[in-house]
Amino acid sequence: MDELKLLHVLENDPRISITDLADILNETEEVVVRTKRRLEDEKIICGYHTVINWDKTNRDHCMAIIEVGAQPERESGYDNVAAEISKYPEVSSLYLMSGKSEFMVVIQGKTMREVADFVGQKLAPIEGVKHTITCFVLKQYKVEGVVVTEDEEPVKRLIVTP
């Protein structure tokens, strides 16, 4: 079975049926189910996510992207700091980065105050964290390859004539 093709299809449509996957991959449903389960067990497939446009709901939602400067440890490098940061449910994504800061952390909360409290009370005090830079997301245009902005008509300018 072409596992790479299976992964690409699932990445583009995680809700695709096993029957459709089998047809696309020219395999039996049993082979597809077994392969998919193995890829999940081996943590190659790590989850299936839904992209939600929170602006269209009546729920308060605040997201921030936080740069975190950190001090590496002698034996483990940045792994222990990352493990501490990732323990918090507010953290939706965590990346080790090149550039000015070592980590990029994506935080989800209800309000800006909730996110700010998380940064000041939980994130900044972690041993090894040197500094944080918090950027609040004001509007999302595209998430995980999905355009989430409303289908607005572009503003058309009137023709000006002398």
Side-chain angles (χ1 to χ4, degrees):
M1 163 176 276
D2 186 349
E3 291 180 4
L4 193 56
K5 187 171 183 180
L6 171 65
L7 293 172
H8 283 297
V9 171
L10 288 173
E11 184 177 39
N12 291 321
D13 185 5
R15 294 177 9 161
I16 190 168
S17 71
I18 296 297
T19 303
D20 289 342
L21 271 174
D23 288 344
I24 290 168
L25 299 168
N26 198 26
E27 293 286 348
T28 66
E29 290 183 18
E30 294 77 24
V31 169
V32 171
V33 168
R34 191 171 51 248
T35 304
K36 189 176 169 199
R37 187 173 298 127
R38 181 180 54 75
L39 293 171
E40 291 167 349
D41 291 344
E42 293 175 4
K43 299 292 184 199
I44 293 170
I45 297 175
C46 298
Y48 303 91
H49 302 280
T50 303
V51 175
I52 299 171
N53 184 350
W54 290 106
D55 291 340
K56 290 190 174 188
T57 69
N58 291 329
R59 183 178 178 271
D60 288 334
H61 185 263
C62 181
M63 180 170 44
I65 299 170
I66 304 165
E67 291 183 36
V68 177
Q71 181 70 40
E73 295 177 358
R74 182 174 288 283
E75 298 296 320
S76 63
Y78 295 108
D79 292 345
N80 289 340
V81 176
E84 285 300 311
I85 294 171
S86 66
K87 287 180 183 177
Y88 292 103
E90 296 92 338
V91 176
S92 62
S93 297
L94 172 63
Y95 307 98
L96 180 63
M97 306 291 292
S98 62
K100 292 188 298 185
S101 299
E102 284 69 36
F103 293 106
M104 187 70 62
V105 183
V106 179
I107 302 291
Q108 307 284 341
K110 290 182 182 173
T111 64
M112 291 175 91
R113 168 58 39 208
E114 188 177 284
V115 171
D117 288 345
F118 170 81
V119 173
Q121 297 169 9
K122 295 179 181 176
L123 182 61
I126 292 173
E127 188 173 338
V129 170
K130 296 187 301 186
H131 71 270
T132 63
I133 301 169
T134 303
C135 300
F136 288 97
V137 174
L138 303 177
K139 184 175 182 178
Q140 294 182 357
Y141 293 94
K142 191 172 185 178
V143 179
E144 298 293 325
V146 178
V147 175
V148 295
T149 55
E150 295 188 29
D151 297 322
E152 300 171 353
E153 287 286 321
V155 177
K156 295 184 180 177
R157 298 181 60 169
L158 296 174
I159 299 173
V160 178
T161 59

